[in-house]
């Protein structure tokens, strides 16, 4: 167990580079995105109707893995790939 309190642990900042190494193909997160922002992450996706709420599954280093219209589908995909999903703020 850590000697740091919960509030001290919550204040630790991790660089994107350190987070990428931390996950090492085992950790992923789900991020809500708008359909207008899809092409920045998934340039190969055809035009999508504006105003839709979508969900992107990302590797720990931020690499987009998949795009879907439900959070549950994104989490199910992570599970099928043996990835642990974590909450990010």
């Amino acid at each position: 167990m850590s000697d740091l309190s919960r509030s001290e642990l919550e204040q630790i900042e991790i660089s994107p580079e350190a987070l990428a190494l931390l996950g090492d193909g085992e950790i992923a997160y789900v991020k809500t995105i708008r359909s207008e922002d899809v092409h920045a992450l998934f340039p190969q996706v055809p035009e999508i109707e504006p105003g839709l709420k979508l969900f992107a599954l990302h590797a720990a280093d931020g690499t987009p893995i998949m795009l879907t219209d439900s959070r549950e589908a994104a989490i199910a995909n992570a599970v099928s790939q043996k990835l642990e999903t974590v909450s990010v703020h």
Side-chain angles (χ1 to χ4, degrees), residues 10-40:
E10 289 174 349
Q11 294 179 18
I12 294 174
E13 290 189 28
I14 299 175
S15 71
E17 295 80 16
L19 183 59
L21 293 174
L22 179 68
D24 195 29
E26 297 177 7
I27 296 176
Y29 63 93
V30 177
K31 181 177 178 181
T32 304
I33 64 170
R34 299 176 327 164
S35 55
E36 295 87 348
D37 301 325
V38 167
H39 281 281

Side-chain angles (χ1 to χ4, degrees), residues 2-79:
S2 173
D3 291 334
L4 298 175
S5 71
R6 180 179 179 97
S7 63
E8 289 171 320
L9 286 172
E10 289 174 349
Q11 294 179 18
I12 294 174
E13 290 189 28
I14 299 175
S15 71
E17 295 80 16
L19 183 59
L21 293 174
L22 179 68
D24 195 29
E26 297 177 7
I27 296 176
Y29 63 93
V30 177
K31 181 177 178 181
T32 304
I33 64 170
R34 299 176 327 164
S35 55
E36 295 87 348
D37 301 325
V38 167
H39 281 281
L41 294 172
F42 301 92
Q44 71 279 16
V45 172
E47 271 311 303
I48 297 176
E49 176 185 339
L52 298 177
K53 179 179 172 181
L54 301 170
F55 300 86
L57 178 66
H58 294 264
D61 67 356
T63 303
I65 297 172
M66 68 146 334
L67 179 68
T68 183
D69 63 352
S70 79
R71 182 173 182 78
E72 293 78 17
I75 292 171
N77 186 277
V79 169

